[in-house]
Amino acid sequence: SRNGKRSKTVVTDIGPVEIDVPRDREGSFEPQIVKKRQRRLAGVDEMVLSLSARGLAHGEISSHLAEVYGADVSKQTISTITDSVM
């Protein structure tokens, strides 16, 4: 209870969501829903792959996510997501 917490922004299907992550000094806690160092949920990966399969360029996908969901996803992140499939 004395460890405190920090805020973390996670990109989701509905846009960026800010969550409070409790600190764990001993490193014994393993989160179940949002893993350690995870910045986006699986639905975002599927959306990026779907848009890429439809022929959109990485810049177009980035601007689409920013316009529709308010999520700032870089072209490098989109490349990482699409490369993980290959």
Side-chain angles (χ1 to χ4, degrees):
S1 65
R2 296 185 340 194
N3 285 339
K5 58 187 172 185
R6 65 177 179 85
S7 63
K8 173 179 176 178
T9 302
V10 179
V11 178
T12 66
D13 294 341
I14 59 170
V17 175
E18 189 167 317
I19 59 174
D20 289 329
V21 180
R23 291 186 180 157
D24 182 20
R25 292 182 186 179
E26 296 175 358
S28 60
F29 178 73
E30 188 62 37
Q32 299 298 311
I33 297 174
V34 179
K35 304 290 184 194
K36 292 180 181 177
R37 294 175 291 281
Q38 183 179 5
R39 293 289 181 192
R40 62 184 184 277
L41 297 181
V44 175
D45 292 352
E46 294 167 4
M47 188 181 321
V48 168
L49 293 175
S50 172
L51 291 171
S52 179
R54 292 183 181 165
L56 269 68
H58 293 196
E60 294 171 332
I61 294 171
S62 178
S63 64
H64 174 74
L65 293 174
E67 182 180 314
V68 173
Y69 298 104
D72 185 27
V73 180
S74 69
K75 290 188 251 181
Q76 179 61 39
T77 302
I78 294 170
S79 292
T80 303
I81 294 169
T82 55
D83 289 346
S84 68
V85 173
M86 296 180 188

